Amino acid sequence: MRKRRSGGRPTIADVAKRAGVSSITVSRALRDPERVSPQLRQQIEEAVRELEYVPDQHARALASARTDVIGVIIPSFTNNVFADVLRGIYDGLAQTPYQVQLGNSRYSPIEEERLLATFLSQRPAALIVAGIDQTERGRALLAAAGCPVVQVMDLGDDPVDMMVGFSHKASGHAVTSHLLEAGYRRIGFLGARMDPRTQRRLEGYRAALAEAGLYDPARITTTPASSSVSLGRDLLRDLLARMPDTDAVFCNNDDLALGALFECQRALLAVPASMGIAGFNDLEMMAAACPSLTSVRTPRYEIGSRAVQMARAAIAGRRPAERVVDTGFALQIRESTKRPETVRPQPMGVLYNNA
Amino acid sequence: MRKRRSGGRPTIADVAKRAGVSSITVSRALRDPERVSPQLRQQIEEAVRELEYVPDQHARALASARTDVIGVIIPSFTNNVFADVLRGIYDGLAQTPYQVQLGNSRYSPIEEERLLATFLSQRPAALIVAGIDQTERGRALLAAAGCPVVQVMDLGDDPVDMMVGFSHKASGHAVTSHLLEAGYRRIGFLGARMDPRTQRRLEGYRAALAEAGLYDPARITTTPASSSVSLGRDLLRDLLARMPDTDAVFCNNDDLALGALFECQRALLAVPASMGIAGFNDLEMMAAACPSLTSVRTPRYEIGSRAVQMARAAIAGRRPAERVVDTGFALQIRESTKRPETVRPQPMGVLYNNA
DNA sequence: TTTGGCCATGATAGCGCTGACATGGCACCG
DNA sequence: CGGTGCCATGTCAGCGCTATCATGGCCAAA
């Protein structure tokens, strides 16, 4: 006979024998205690404790065709933005039987598609994916996933299933409008990697400036390279070399904004007097910088935990009424965009929704 | 009869029928192609492609008592340090059948122990854990894991199995020595969270100053709160309030160092002339800051990929001869510790090993 | 009392895959 | 030409769990 595979670990049958019941009763007592009489339940719990029984996930998955795995696909590990979303997800899943299977698409839709296929082959209980810009086949895979799907960090009117995020275009518009109100007129854009969400922020920037009649494409400085503080310095230097009269920049994320600040310090360019700087995401460092840096606070942790909440509700058969949740964003106005001549009382956290 | 669980997905039996062989042959062709004749192999591959067959992980795991899951436990998602390790791990695992199961211990040994137990119940192929400071029971679990275990990011002489990292004490000693050589004499220490690795860096700091006869415990400023840029500002402010003559600080990580720099800017304290600043980890921003910030470059990505390499070798039965790998670290000397009177030609990247 | 229905529990049969062993064909040997 | 050993392939029996249906006891309604 084949030796036991579990390496000596007790199986449900061992628990059953010890508790003097059949194994199916143990199974029920563990998954659906209501269906077992209190007395047996107690005996079983005792046996479980004594034997230190831990159910075998794989056997369970095979027998029931269900798993407790929630697949999560994000485009980057290094980007703190997603670290916060992840924290929200893991915290939302603590003390539950669910486990996270994490994939990194590296901002590549092809890679994302591959991950999707891999993950789906494991019949996850739910799937959380960053962004709404899947490939056609990726979307098809998601649509046929047979499990709840939550797209996060962006907003669109065509969710595969559910969606939690905010409008990047609206947020780009809001920051740019703020710079205009602060009195800046020759506002540049610094962008790295230029993934779809960045593109939409750029669109918002463009729209706001166009409305004001101040749009000049020459002030847009982008690179496909991935974002970093040094890159922020390089991009600002480039921009100023080409358009020396630029008086403010909207940086598509906080790393770039920090780099821009350092470049200004090096070039002895006064911030905010001669150069306004606004970032995106409002990482913790923005408030600590000197001068403190204006940014757009994005509710990353909340998006993660909200996504988990929606996914769990859907798994339980209670699909939320609102399939698309707009978390909004908040403009955090700080020193880096307070032009001396325009300093005036302003609420420090202006809340926007997808108006 | 029970309906097929796989939701219509083809099983190995379907592939076998289509290829005109038995299912065990399909199984072999997929896992161990050498053992199947080229002709059958080709037929099988064709059938797999036509049916879009994807093996069921759970069935495989149940039948073979093995999985392709590598468990990874890190103490933080938000800390970029571990993001880099993770990238190394994921990159090392790309194009392999292995999957990562990721856990966040939140710097809590208790939580780590819990995660360990959970992970082990899934019989992972290998385990990669950050640090060497497991609880007693955690160590026991690891020792009895029955799979390769790699402890990363630290060094010790008592590996559970394998180990890749560097000496935190030696690196703390190296930075402090550098500050002394640069001419600083009243050197403070800023530390947050004070996890065991931080403690060892502090030990290195203490030893270096004690050797120089300049150790003063009053210059150590720590907090159990977790690290952030703002905290760096606060800690430096505290230190200067208590010990205004402090002329340099070794910050236990780069966030704190950046915060310290901002605080100096705010207080109009010249860096490096009146205050030297050194950080730890050498995140990308350190080189971009103004002035650029001295730090200790830690080979985080390499540690991740090396750990994966060792784990895979061990899984394959080729346990590396060197169970403990010291990756070393590199002092990155930059503007923030170049005191005007002591500026002299120095190699820009001094390599240290666990001397 | 009978009957029907419900509830708690059990017996059975797989889920999709792989380990162990069996089989049959073929090359090579004396 | 029988024997030997090896190789490719197959048969069979589970891995540990749960879906499904069966069973038997109990209570309420008739």
Side-chain angles (χ1 to χ4, degrees), chain A:
Chain A
M1 213 218 305
R2 178 145 51 152
K3 72 159 174 272
R4 164 174 273 171
R5 297 298 179 58
S6 50
R9 251 177 40 194
T11 69
I12 203 170
D14 299 322
V15 177
K17 199 186 301 172
R18 181 150 197 141
V21 297
S22 72
S23 47
I24 187 67
T25 305
V26 175
S27 172
R28 282 199 275 256
L30 293 175
R31 263 174 321 114
D32 206 356
E34 314 287 297
R35 294 181 49 195
V36 175
S37 68
Q39 204 214 321
L40 282 192
R41 206 188 306 165
Q42 203 184 328
Q43 289 173 36
I44 291 169
E45 278 164 12
E46 213 174 293
V48 165
R49 230 172 301 118
E50 286 171 9
L51 297 174
E52 295 195 317
Y53 168 72
V54 182
D56 183 311
Q57 310 268 355
H58 302 296
R60 182 201 316 247
L62 181 57
S64 69
R66 312 181 312 102
T67 65
D68 291 337
V69 171
I70 293 187
V72 176
I73 298 180
I74 58 174
S76 163
F77 288 149
T78 323
N79 191 332
N80 270 328
V81 167
F82 296 102
D84 289 331
V85 177
L86 266 191
R87 277 197 307 117
I89 292 174
Y90 273 79
D91 284 3
L93 255 25
Q95 321 293 355
T96 76
Y98 293 102
Q99 290 162 17
V100 172
Q101 177 78 43
L102 184 62
N104 178 2
S105 68
R106 302 151 176 275
Y107 286 100
S108 153
I110 305 294
E111 184 67 26
E112 182 183 55
E113 188 182 304
R114 203 179 352 242
L115 282 169
L116 237 31
T118 310
F119 279 24
L120 285 173
S121 82
Q122 296 171 64
R123 0 184 118 280
L127 227 39
I128 297 175
V129 302
I132 59 175
D133 304 278
Q134 286 75 33
T135 63
E136 202 170 325
R137 177 154 175 265
R139 254 194 94 87
L141 283 170
L142 284 175
C147 70
V149 173
V150 190
Q151 293 164 293
V152 297
M153 291 304 282
D154 205 338
L155 221 49
D157 43 18
D158 187 22
V160 169
D161 182 0
M162 293 172 286
M163 200 176 262
V164 195
F166 58 90
S167 165
H168 288 257
K169 178 165 180 187
S171 57
H173 191 284
V175 184
T176 312
S177 298
H178 159 66
L179 289 169
L180 286 167
E181 277 167 35
Y184 297 105
R185 284 297 169 265
R186 297 173 300 279
I187 303 169
F189 180 94
L190 304 187
R193 199 185 302 97
M194 302 315 289
D195 59 275
R197 283 178 291 285
T198 308
Q199 298 277 9
R200 286 192 268 278
R201 303 204 278 267
L202 174 55
E203 271 173 47
Y205 156 90
R206 199 177 274 139
L209 287 180
E211 286 159 22
L214 291 168
Y215 176 56
D216 179 354
R219 296 198 198 275
I220 296 174
T221 312
T222 67
T223 162
S226 72
S227 177
S228 72
V229 179
S230 320
L231 200 58
R233 294 190 51 179
D234 297 345
L235 290 176
L236 181 58
R237 197 160 35 217
D238 283 7
L239 174 59
L240 288 177
R242 284 187 297 110
M243 310 290 284
D245 64 343
T246 300
D247 63 1
V249 279
F250 166 35
C251 305
N252 89 66
N253 71 38
D254 289 342
D255 285 346
L256 295 181
L258 186 60
L261 173 60
F262 286 139
E263 182 58 26
C264 290
Q265 292 180 346
R266 182 90 48 174
L268 302 177
L269 205 55
V271 176
S274 311
M275 177 66 65
I277 299 178
F280 196 91
N281 277 320
D282 199 27
L283 299 183
E284 176 270 336
M285 65 189 179
M286 300 302 271
C290 180
S292 60
L293 291 161
T294 291
S295 194
V296 174
R297 170 143 25 103
T298 55
R300 304 177 294 277
Y301 183 90
E302 290 73 18
I303 286 176
S305 56
R306 189 70 182 267
V308 162
Q309 203 180 306
M310 290 170 76
R312 291 190 61 194
I315 292 170
R318 297 174 281 101
R319 252 201 178 60
E322 304 234 358
R323 301 210 143 197
V324 177
V325 174
D326 181 356
T327 61
F329 53 87
L331 192 52
Q332 284 293 322
I333 298 168
R334 299 208 181 84
E335 293 164 0
S336 69
T337 57
K338 287 196 179 138
R339 283 192 90 188
E341 62 266 45
T342 61
V343 172
R344 47 184 172 178
Q346 283 232 38
M348 283 302 281
V350 186
L351 258 176
Y352 288 82
N353 254 7
N354 203 12

Side-chain angles (χ1 to χ4, degrees), chain B residues 71-185:
Chain B
V72 176
I73 298 181
I74 58 175
S76 163
F77 288 150
T78 322
N79 190 333
N80 270 327
V81 167
F82 296 102
D84 289 331
V85 178
L86 266 191
R87 276 197 306 118
I89 292 174
Y90 273 79
D91 284 2
L93 255 24
Q95 322 293 355
T96 76
Y98 293 103
Q99 290 161 17
V100 172
Q101 178 78 42
L102 184 62
N104 178 3
S105 69
R106 304 151 175 275
Y107 286 101
S108 153
I110 304 294
E111 185 67 28
E112 183 183 53
E113 188 182 304
R114 203 180 351 244
L115 282 168
L116 237 33
T118 310
F119 280 24
L120 285 172
S121 82
Q122 296 170 63
R123 0 185 117 280
L127 228 37
I128 297 175
V129 302
I132 60 176
D133 304 279
Q134 285 76 31
T135 62
E136 202 170 325
R137 178 157 175 264
R139 255 193 93 90
L141 283 171
L142 284 175
C147 70
V149 174
V150 190
Q151 292 164 293
V152 297
M153 290 305 281
D154 206 337
L155 221 50
D157 43 19
D158 186 22
V160 169
D161 181 1
M162 292 172 288
M163 202 178 260
V164 194
F166 57 91
S167 165
H168 288 257
K169 177 165 181 186
S171 57
H173 191 284
V175 183
T176 311
S177 299
H178 159 66
L179 289 169
L180 286 166
E181 279 167 34
Y184 297 105
R185 285 296 169 265

Side-chain angles (χ1 to χ4, degrees), chain B:
Chain B
M1 213 219 307
R2 181 145 48 154
K3 73 158 174 273
R4 163 173 275 172
R5 296 300 178 57
S6 50
R9 252 176 42 194
T11 71
I12 204 171
D14 299 322
V15 177
K17 199 186 300 172
R18 181 154 199 135
V21 298
S22 74
S23 46
I24 188 68
T25 306
V26 175
S27 172
R28 283 199 274 255
L30 294 175
R31 265 175 319 118
D32 206 355
E34 314 288 296
R35 295 182 48 195
V36 175
S37 68
Q39 203 213 322
L40 282 194
R41 206 188 306 163
Q42 203 184 330
Q43 288 173 37
I44 290 169
E45 278 164 11
E46 213 175 294
V48 165
R49 230 172 302 118
E50 286 170 8
L51 296 176
E52 296 194 313
Y53 168 72
V54 181
D56 183 312
Q57 310 267 356
H58 302 296
R60 175 188 336 235
L62 181 58
S64 69
R66 312 182 311 101
T67 65
D68 292 337
V69 171
I70 293 187
V72 176
I73 298 181
I74 58 175
S76 163
F77 288 150
T78 322
N79 190 333
N80 270 327
V81 167
F82 296 102
D84 289 331
V85 178
L86 266 191
R87 276 197 306 118
I89 292 174
Y90 273 79
D91 284 2
L93 255 24
Q95 322 293 355
T96 76
Y98 293 103
Q99 290 161 17
V100 172
Q101 178 78 42
L102 184 62
N104 178 3
S105 69
R106 304 151 175 275
Y107 286 101
S108 153
I110 304 294
E111 185 67 28
E112 183 183 53
E113 188 182 304
R114 203 180 351 244
L115 282 168
L116 237 33
T118 310
F119 280 24
L120 285 172
S121 82
Q122 296 170 63
R123 0 185 117 280
L127 228 37
I128 297 175
V129 302
I132 60 176
D133 304 279
Q134 285 76 31
T135 62
E136 202 170 325
R137 178 157 175 264
R139 255 193 93 90
L141 283 171
L142 284 175
C147 70
V149 174
V150 190
Q151 292 164 293
V152 297
M153 290 305 281
D154 206 337
L155 221 50
D157 43 19
D158 186 22
V160 169
D161 181 1
M162 292 172 288
M163 202 178 260
V164 194
F166 57 91
S167 165
H168 288 257
K169 177 165 181 186
S171 57
H173 191 284
V175 183
T176 311
S177 299
H178 159 66
L179 289 169
L180 286 166
E181 279 167 34
Y184 297 105
R185 285 296 169 265
R186 296 173 300 280
I187 303 169
F189 179 93
L190 305 189
R193 199 182 306 97
M194 302 314 291
D195 59 275
R197 284 177 292 284
T198 308
Q199 299 276 9
R200 286 192 269 277
R201 303 204 278 267
L202 173 55
E203 272 173 45
Y205 156 91
R206 198 177 275 140
L209 287 182
E211 287 159 21
L214 291 168
Y215 175 57
D216 178 355
R219 296 197 197 276
I220 297 175
T221 313
T222 67
T223 161
S226 72
S227 176
S228 72
V229 180
S230 319
L231 200 59
R233 293 190 53 180
D234 297 345
L235 290 176
L236 180 57
R237 196 160 34 214
D238 282 7
L239 174 58
L240 288 177
R242 285 188 296 111
M243 311 288 284
D245 63 344
T246 301
D247 62 3
V249 278
F250 166 34
C251 305
N252 90 66
N253 72 37
D254 289 342
D255 284 347
L256 295 182
L258 186 60
L261 173 60
F262 286 138
E263 182 58 25
C264 290
Q265 292 180 346
R266 182 91 48 174
L268 301 177
L269 207 54
V271 176
S274 312
M275 176 66 65
I277 299 178
F280 196 90
N281 278 319
D282 199 28
L283 299 184
E284 175 270 335
M285 64 188 178
M286 301 302 271
C290 179
S292 60
L293 291 162
T294 291
S295 194
V296 174
R297 170 141 26 102
T298 55
R300 305 176 293 278
Y301 183 91
E302 291 72 17
I303 287 176
S305 55
R306 188 72 183 267
V308 162
Q309 202 180 306
M310 291 170 77
R312 292 191 59 193
I315 291 170
R318 298 175 279 103
R319 251 199 179 60
E322 304 235 358
R323 302 210 142 197
V324 178
V325 174
D326 181 355
T327 60
F329 53 88
L331 192 52
Q332 284 293 320
I333 297 168
R334 299 209 182 84
E335 294 163 0
S336 68
T337 57
K338 288 195 179 137
R339 281 191 93 186
E341 61 266 46
T342 61
V343 171
R344 49 184 171 179
Q346 283 230 40
M348 285 300 278
V350 185
L351 258 178
Y352 287 84
N353 254 6
N354 204 13

